[in-house]
Amino acid sequence: MLKSTFVSKQRSAWILISLIITSIISFNVYLAFNTIQNLSSIQVSLANTGNIILRLDDLHLSLISAESNQRGFLLTNDDVFLVPYHKALDKVDIQILELEALESEIATQNQRITNIIELSKAKTVELKEHVRLIKNDKSAVSLLALKASSNSNVYSQLSQLLTEANIEEKMYRAGLLQSLAKSRNEASITFTISGITSAMLVIILLIISWRNNRNEQQYLLLLEQKNQQLTNKVEERTQELNLYAEELSRSNRELEDFAFVASHDLQEPLRKIQAFGDRLESSYADALEARGLDYLKRMRNAASRMSTLITDLLEFSRVGTRGRDFAETDLNTVLNYVLDDLEIAIKESAAKIDISPLPTIQADSSQLQQLFLNLLSNAIKFRRSDKTAHIVIKAQAYNASEAQLALCDNWYQITVSDNGIGFSQEYAEKIFTPFQRLHGRTEYKGTGIGLAVCRRIAERHRGEIAAVSELGQGASFSIILPAEATPFGKFGDENAP
């Protein structure tokens, strides 16, 4: 009880601690994950907006370079300006492709970038067309036309859009930088909180561990005290049991001696009564009247019954004290001995006996022989006059209870059934009580001790016996026996008289 209470409290405490630690760790992980995710998102956004600003600036510079070199060529008609001019246009084409692959996180910016790309393409077409015209027509009129056309507002629109887009992206980037700084501060706070909570957890765990060790030491000390008290009680109880066993053994030996002496002393007068009765009948039968002869016969019958009763009672008392050690016993062999003993009774009654294969168990073969002898004798004795006695003996594995399985793993049920006169089921328990008879002595012979001996033999083998019957429909006796068991109820000296 003490141990279960301590273990229950300790388990509840650890469950609560585990829940708290898990909650704190989960909260810290959640904060750290959100912080890292937020920082990563801002870093990606900064990289994207910075890339857009860089691409817009590069595109603007490339267009300016292309237009400057084009103007130099138009004004001087010198091909030396065409080399940087073409390089600038090649860069513009590449930068337009790179800009098309980017997507701004600002909703209005994407349309502006699309317009910038379209105007940039238009501007490159315009620049290429001017160069083509000047190469094909170098007259002054053509030159003036080209100068007039160069005043096109494409570049002014493009420049305005580039400026607006650049300002928009830089403002967005400034906001991202502020968010990044804020997130870094939050991250510092988060990791500080995590560090503090982790340190607190370590401290709490150390305190709990110290308290658990202290409680465990107290519990072990208390348990040791309880164990010592229990050991003292066990020793006292063991001494009492030893004294009781010695007293019981001595008492049992005295009872055994008393039973033997009582049997001998009681049998001696009975033998004299029977002897003098025989002499009286043989010597003075003619001198006695019919009534005297009847009295003499009754006296001799009573003496004979008394002698049989004393013998049976002594045999009943010795079931637990004079039994043999258990050994491997084949019940088929036991039944064969019983059938040999009952050979004459079986022939006289014309009884039919069917025996199925029986198991081999650890038992006292002589006592089991006596058990089956009593059961078969009763089945033959209490047969019906209008039917041939039919006795069936069979065995099967028995589904033992938990208490029985603690004693032995394998159990058998041996059933002895007959088609005799049977008895009312209300007497099923009474018939195993010594001296209990369901019929008069004039109807069936016996002392009423046989089934009581059967029960004591079954109980000594750690088994049990029961009967099921119906008046006029025969009886069925079930003997439940373990395959292996030690003798039960064996006291005193095996070699007692």
Side-chain angles (χ1 to χ4, degrees), residues 347-475:
K347 287 182 179 180
E348 290 178 351
S349 62
K352 180 183 178 183
I353 302 177
D354 295 331
I355 303 176
S356 300
L358 301 176
T360 297
I361 64 174
Q362 292 288 325
D364 183 340
S365 59
S366 63
Q367 288 191 343
L368 288 187
Q369 185 174 341
Q370 184 179 6
L371 182 148
F372 286 111
L373 181 63
N374 291 347
L375 292 178
L376 291 178
S377 298
N378 284 349
I380 295 173
K381 179 167 58 174
F382 296 106
R383 65 185 181 274
R384 292 174 57 175
S385 59
D386 59 339
K387 281 187 178 182
T388 301
H390 185 200
I391 304 169
V392 178
I393 303 173
K394 59 183 179 180
Q396 63 182 7
Y398 178 69
N399 188 17
S401 64
E402 292 184 4
Q404 290 172 325
L405 288 174
L407 175 66
C408 179
D409 293 334
N410 299 320
W411 288 72
Y412 295 101
Q413 180 179 16
I414 298 96
T415 306
V416 180
S417 305
D418 62 60
N419 62 343
I421 62 174
F423 54 86
S424 179
Q425 186 62 31
E426 62 180 299
Y427 300 112
E429 186 64 25
K430 184 178 179 181
I431 60 174
F432 294 105
T433 305
F435 310 118
Q436 293 296 324
R437 297 173 54 89
L438 302 182
H439 307 87
R441 286 190 295 271
T442 58
E443 295 181 81
Y444 299 98
K445 295 181 180 180
T447 59
I449 204 80
L451 289 178
V453 172
C454 290
R455 168 163 284 184
R456 290 206 66 184
I457 292 173
E459 290 175 348
R460 181 173 182 259
H461 287 74
R462 301 298 181 103
E464 57 188 45
I465 184 172
V468 177
S469 181
E470 185 178 350
L471 193 62
Q473 301 297 323

Side-chain angles (χ1 to χ4, degrees), residues 200-213:
M200 290 176 62
L201 282 177
V202 172
I203 294 172
I204 291 172
L205 287 175
L206 289 175
I207 294 173
I208 292 173
S209 178
W210 173 76
R211 291 190 62 183
N212 283 340
N213 288 333

Side-chain angles (χ1 to χ4, degrees), residues 126-374:
E126 179 184 285
L127 292 174
K128 291 177 181 179
E129 182 65 19
H130 289 177
V131 172
R132 187 183 65 77
L133 289 174
I134 198 62
K135 282 187 175 182
N136 294 334
D137 187 3
K138 298 182 180 180
S139 63
V141 175
S142 298
L143 184 59
L144 290 174
L146 286 173
K147 289 181 179 180
S149 64
S150 65
N151 292 327
S152 171
N153 61 354
V154 173
Y155 178 76
S156 61
Q157 294 178 11
L158 179 60
S159 178
Q160 183 179 355
L161 286 174
L162 285 169
T163 302
E164 291 175 356
N166 196 288
I167 293 172
E168 190 77 18
E169 288 294 335
K170 288 181 178 179
M171 290 176 63
Y172 182 67
R173 183 174 65 179
L176 289 176
L177 290 173
Q178 291 179 356
S179 298
L180 180 61
K182 183 179 178 181
S183 296
R184 284 177 177 173
N185 292 333
E186 291 176 353
S188 299
I189 296 172
T190 298
F191 289 123
T192 301
I193 293 173
S194 298
I196 293 172
T197 53
S198 298
M200 290 176 62
L201 282 177
V202 172
I203 294 172
I204 291 172
L205 287 175
L206 289 175
I207 294 173
I208 292 173
S209 178
W210 173 76
R211 291 190 62 183
N212 283 340
N213 288 333
R214 186 190 63 180
N215 293 338
E216 185 176 358
Q217 293 297 327
Q218 293 176 350
Y219 167 73
L220 290 176
L221 181 60
L222 182 60
L223 186 62
E224 186 177 352
Q225 294 174 353
K226 294 291 183 181
N227 286 338
Q228 186 60 42
Q229 294 175 1
L230 183 60
T231 301
N232 295 335
K233 290 183 179 180
V234 169
E235 289 178 355
E236 293 175 1
R237 187 58 178 166
T238 301
Q239 292 176 359
E240 293 176 0
L241 289 175
N242 288 335
L243 293 175
Y244 174 75
E246 291 176 1
E247 180 65 21
L248 187 59
S249 178
R250 183 189 61 79
S251 177
N252 206 40
R253 286 195 300 270
E254 290 177 355
L255 287 174
E256 183 73 12
D257 295 339
F258 172 78
F260 176 76
V261 172
S263 173
H264 182 272
D265 292 346
L266 289 174
Q267 289 284 13
E268 183 61 26
L270 287 174
R271 282 193 289 269
K272 288 184 179 181
I273 292 173
Q274 289 174 330
F276 283 112
D278 292 339
R279 291 180 185 180
L280 186 61
E281 184 179 12
S282 61
S283 300
Y284 300 97
D286 295 336
L288 294 175
E289 298 177 355
R291 180 177 295 181
L293 290 173
D294 182 58
Y295 289 162
L296 179 61
K297 182 180 178 181
R298 290 186 181 185
M299 179 189 69
R300 293 177 64 198
N301 288 339
S304 178
R305 287 198 308 272
M306 186 65 180
S307 178
T308 303
L309 187 61
I310 292 172
T311 302
D312 290 347
L313 184 60
L314 184 61
E315 184 179 357
F316 175 77
S317 68
R318 287 176 172 176
V319 169
T321 59
R322 299 296 292 273
R324 300 175 183 173
D325 290 336
F326 286 6
E328 191 172 281
T329 303
D330 186 353
L331 296 184
N332 297 287
T333 304
V334 171
L335 260 295
N336 289 333
Y337 287 132
V338 172
L339 294 178
D340 288 341
D341 292 341
L342 294 174
E343 182 179 2
I344 296 175
I346 293 172
K347 287 182 179 180
E348 290 178 351
S349 62
K352 180 183 178 183
I353 302 177
D354 295 331
I355 303 176
S356 300
L358 301 176
T360 297
I361 64 174
Q362 292 288 325
D364 183 340
S365 59
S366 63
Q367 288 191 343
L368 288 187
Q369 185 174 341
Q370 184 179 6
L371 182 148
F372 286 111
L373 181 63
N374 291 347

Side-chain angles (χ1 to χ4, degrees), residues 17-226:
I17 292 168
S18 299
L19 289 175
I20 294 173
I21 292 174
T22 302
S23 301
I24 294 174
I25 292 174
S26 300
F27 179 71
N28 288 339
V29 170
Y30 172 76
L31 288 178
F33 178 77
N34 279 352
T35 301
I36 293 172
Q37 191 176 32
N38 190 29
L39 288 172
S40 298
S41 176
I42 293 174
Q43 292 287 358
V44 170
S45 298
L46 282 173
N48 184 62
T49 189
N51 204 11
I52 291 174
I53 293 171
L54 180 63
R55 294 292 177 265
L56 289 174
D57 289 341
D58 289 344
L59 178 62
H60 193 190
L61 291 175
S62 297
L63 287 173
I64 292 174
S65 176
E67 187 175 21
S68 298
N69 286 291
Q70 182 224 39
R71 288 181 180 276
F73 173 72
L74 293 178
L75 294 173
T76 62
N77 199 21
D78 189 352
D79 291 341
V80 72
F81 291 100
L82 293 179
V83 175
Y85 162 76
H86 287 299
K87 287 183 179 180
L89 288 181
D90 291 339
K91 286 184 179 180
V92 169
D93 293 336
I94 295 172
Q95 289 161 356
I96 288 174
L97 293 175
E98 292 175 348
L99 196 58
E100 287 176 342
L102 296 176
E103 183 175 358
S104 177
E105 295 179 2
I106 304 171
T108 58
Q109 188 77 322
N110 289 319
Q111 183 59 45
R112 186 179 288 115
I113 291 174
T114 301
N115 293 335
I116 289 172
I117 291 171
E118 294 299 325
L119 289 174
S120 298
K121 290 179 179 179
K123 184 62 178 177
T124 56
V125 170
E126 179 184 285
L127 292 174
K128 291 177 181 179
E129 182 65 19
H130 289 177
V131 172
R132 187 183 65 77
L133 289 174
I134 198 62
K135 282 187 175 182
N136 294 334
D137 187 3
K138 298 182 180 180
S139 63
V141 175
S142 298
L143 184 59
L144 290 174
L146 286 173
K147 289 181 179 180
S149 64
S150 65
N151 292 327
S152 171
N153 61 354
V154 173
Y155 178 76
S156 61
Q157 294 178 11
L158 179 60
S159 178
Q160 183 179 355
L161 286 174
L162 285 169
T163 302
E164 291 175 356
N166 196 288
I167 293 172
E168 190 77 18
E169 288 294 335
K170 288 181 178 179
M171 290 176 63
Y172 182 67
R173 183 174 65 179
L176 289 176
L177 290 173
Q178 291 179 356
S179 298
L180 180 61
K182 183 179 178 181
S183 296
R184 284 177 177 173
N185 292 333
E186 291 176 353
S188 299
I189 296 172
T190 298
F191 289 123
T192 301
I193 293 173
S194 298
I196 293 172
T197 53
S198 298
M200 290 176 62
L201 282 177
V202 172
I203 294 172
I204 291 172
L205 287 175
L206 289 175
I207 294 173
I208 292 173
S209 178
W210 173 76
R211 291 190 62 183
N212 283 340
N213 288 333
R214 186 190 63 180
N215 293 338
E216 185 176 358
Q217 293 297 327
Q218 293 176 350
Y219 167 73
L220 290 176
L221 181 60
L222 182 60
L223 186 62
E224 186 177 352
Q225 294 174 353
K226 294 291 183 181

